[in-house]
PDB file of all heavy atoms in Angstrom:
ATOM      1  N   ALA A  55     -47.510-187.915-125.141  1.00 98.00           N
ATOM      2  CA  ALA A  55     -47.405-189.309-124.792  1.00 98.00           C
ATOM      3  C   ALA A  55     -48.412-190.270-125.459  1.00 98.00           C
ATOM      4  O   ALA A  55     -49.591-189.791-125.529  1.00 98.00           O
ATOM      5  CB  ALA A  55     -47.328-189.407-123.245  1.00 98.00           C
ATOM      6  N   LEU A  56     -47.940-191.426-125.687  1.00 98.00           N
ATOM      7  CA  LEU A  56     -48.940-192.469-126.032  1.00 98.00           C
ATOM      8  C   LEU A  56     -48.640-193.693-125.124  1.00 98.00           C
ATOM      9  O   LEU A  56     -47.442-193.903-124.809  1.00 98.00           O
ATOM     10  CB  LEU A  56     -48.763-192.933-127.485  1.00 98.00           C
ATOM     11  CG  LEU A  56     -49.075-192.013-128.619  1.00 98.00           C
ATOM     12  CD1 LEU A  56     -48.678-192.478-129.901  1.00 98.00           C
ATOM     13  CD2 LEU A  56     -50.600-191.665-128.549  1.00 98.00           C
ATOM     14  N   VAL A  57     -49.649-194.468-124.780  1.00 97.00           N
ATOM     15  CA  VAL A  57     -49.609-195.617-124.008  1.00 97.00           C
ATOM     16  C   VAL A  57     -49.962-196.829-124.758  1.00 97.00           C
ATOM     17  O   VAL A  57     -51.040-196.888-125.408  1.00 97.00           O
ATOM     18  CB  VAL A  57     -50.333-195.616-122.546  1.00 97.00           C
ATOM     19  CG1 VAL A  57     -50.237-196.826-121.836  1.00 97.00           C
ATOM     20  CG2 VAL A  57     -50.006-194.346-121.944  1.00 97.00           C
ATOM     21  N   PHE A  58     -49.178-197.865-124.878  1.00 98.00           N
ATOM     22  CA  PHE A  58     -49.300-199.016-125.562  1.00 98.00           C
ATOM     23  C   PHE A  58     -49.552-200.212-124.559  1.00 98.00           C
ATOM     24  O   PHE A  58     -48.891-200.187-123.490  1.00 98.00           O
ATOM     25  CB  PHE A  58     -48.191-199.412-126.490  1.00 98.00           C
ATOM     26  CG  PHE A  58     -47.806-198.211-127.349  1.00 98.00           C
ATOM     27  CD1 PHE A  58     -46.834-197.360-127.121  1.00 98.00           C
ATOM     28  CD2 PHE A  58     -48.518-197.920-128.488  1.00 98.00           C
ATOM     29  CE1 PHE A  58     -46.529-196.253-127.808  1.00 98.00           C
ATOM     30  CE2 PHE A  58     -48.366-196.839-129.312  1.00 98.00           C
ATOM     31  CZ  PHE A  58     -47.277-195.979-129.017  1.00 98.00           C
ATOM     32  N   ASP A  59     -50.396-201.264-124.858  1.00 97.00           N
ATOM     33  CA  ASP A  59     -50.648-202.362-123.968  1.00 97.00           C
ATOM     34  C   ASP A  59     -50.744-203.591-124.773  1.00 97.00           C
ATOM     35  O   ASP A  59     -51.290-203.665-125.805  1.00 97.00           O
ATOM     36  CB  ASP A  59     -52.018-202.090-123.314  1.00 97.00           C
ATOM     37  CG  ASP A  59     -52.354-203.194-122.243  1.00 97.00           C
ATOM     38  OD1 ASP A  59     -52.847-204.278-122.722  1.00 97.00           O
ATOM     39  OD2 ASP A  59     -52.134-203.053-121.198  1.00 97.00           O
ATOM     40  N   ALA A  60     -50.152-204.632-124.254  1.00 96.00           N
ATOM     41  CA  ALA A  60     -50.203-206.062-124.730  1.00 96.00           C
ATOM     42  C   ALA A  60     -50.193-206.937-123.513  1.00 96.00           C
ATOM     43  O   ALA A  60     -49.269-206.970-122.802  1.00 96.00           O
ATOM     44  CB  ALA A  60     -49.101-206.333-125.661  1.00 96.00           C
ATOM     45  N   ALA A  61     -51.244-207.691-123.342  1.00 93.00           N
ATOM     46  CA  ALA A  61     -51.411-208.626-122.269  1.00 93.00           C
ATOM     47  C   ALA A  61     -51.129-207.908-120.858  1.00 93.00           C
ATOM     48  O   ALA A  61     -50.428-208.500-120.052  1.00 93.00           O
ATOM     49  CB  ALA A  61     -50.586-209.833-122.405  1.00 93.00           C
ATOM     50  N   ARG A  62     -51.611-206.734-120.705  1.00 90.00           N
ATOM     51  CA  ARG A  62     -51.512-206.019-119.490  1.00 90.00           C
ATOM     52  C   ARG A  62     -50.028-205.463-119.169  1.00 90.00           C
ATOM     53  O   ARG A  62     -49.626-205.155-118.136  1.00 90.00           O
ATOM     54  CB  ARG A  62     -52.012-206.714-118.353  1.00 90.00           C
ATOM     55  CG  ARG A  62     -53.548-206.997-118.445  1.00 90.00           C
ATOM     56  CD  ARG A  62     -54.157-207.751-117.343  1.00 90.00           C
ATOM     57  NE  ARG A  62     -54.288-206.673-116.291  1.00 90.00           N
ATOM     58  CZ  ARG A  62     -54.998-206.954-115.186  1.00 90.00           C
ATOM     59  NH1 ARG A  62     -55.455-208.194-114.891  1.00 90.00           N
ATOM     60  NH2 ARG A  62     -55.235-205.991-114.228  1.00 90.00           N
ATOM     61  N   VAL A  63     -49.200-205.595-120.225  1.00 94.00           N
ATOM     62  CA  VAL A  63     -47.883-204.954-120.162  1.00 94.00           C
ATOM     63  C   VAL A  63     -47.989-203.608-120.818  1.00 94.00           C
ATOM     64  O   VAL A  63     -48.410-203.498-122.001  1.00 94.00           O
ATOM     65  CB  VAL A  63     -46.833-205.857-120.883  1.00 94.00           C
ATOM     66  CG1 VAL A  63     -45.433-205.171-120.985  1.00 94.00           C
ATOM     67  CG2 VAL A  63     -46.720-207.172-120.232  1.00 94.00           C
ATOM     68  N   ARG A  64     -47.612-202.594-120.136  1.00 96.00           N
ATOM     69  CA  ARG A  64     -47.880-201.236-120.650  1.00 96.00           C
ATOM     70  C   ARG A  64     -46.446-200.575-120.797  1.00 96.00           C
ATOM     71  O   ARG A  64     -45.675-200.523-119.976  1.00 96.00           O
ATOM     72  CB  ARG A  64     -48.716-200.408-119.691  1.00 96.00           C
ATOM     73  CG  ARG A  64     -50.149-200.972-119.718  1.00 96.00           C
ATOM     74  CD  ARG A  64     -51.164-199.983-119.427  1.00 96.00           C
ATOM     75  NE  ARG A  64     -52.485-200.596-119.602  1.00 96.00           N
ATOM     76  CZ  ARG A  64     -53.604-199.975-119.791  1.00 96.00           C
ATOM     77  NH1 ARG A  64     -53.556-198.593-119.549  1.00 96.00           N
ATOM     78  NH2 ARG A  64     -54.666-200.577-119.941  1.00 96.00           N
ATOM     79  N   VAL A  65     -46.432-199.865-121.911  1.00 97.00           N
ATOM     80  CA  VAL A  65     -45.256-199.021-122.364  1.00 97.00           C
ATOM     81  C   VAL A  65     -45.761-197.671-122.694  1.00 97.00           C
ATOM     82  O   VAL A  65     -46.749-197.541-123.405  1.00 97.00           O
ATOM     83  CB  VAL A  65     -44.472-199.587-123.505  1.00 97.00           C
ATOM     84  CG1 VAL A  65     -43.447-198.732-123.991  1.00 97.00           C
ATOM     85  CG2 VAL A  65     -43.892-200.998-123.184  1.00 97.00           C
ATOM     86  N   GLN A  66     -45.151-196.657-122.073  1.00 97.00           N
ATOM     87  CA  GLN A  66     -45.529-195.241-122.477  1.00 97.00           C
ATOM     88  C   GLN A  66     -44.332-194.760-123.239  1.00 97.00           C
ATOM     89  O   GLN A  66     -43.253-194.877-122.847  1.00 97.00           O
ATOM     90  CB  GLN A  66     -45.756-194.472-121.173  1.00 97.00           C
ATOM     91  CG  GLN A  66     -46.089-192.965-121.419  1.00 97.00           C
ATOM     92  CD  GLN A  66     -46.348-192.238-120.145  1.00 97.00           C
ATOM     93  OE1 GLN A  66     -47.263-192.577-119.462  1.00 97.00           O
ATOM     94  NE2 GLN A  66     -45.687-191.122-120.039  1.00 97.00           N
TER      95      GLN A  66
END
Side-chain angles (χ1 to χ4, degrees):
L56 293 174
V57 178
F58 307 99
D59 181 282
R62 300 181 78 171
V63 173
R64 292 207 172 196
V65 172
Q66 176 175 308

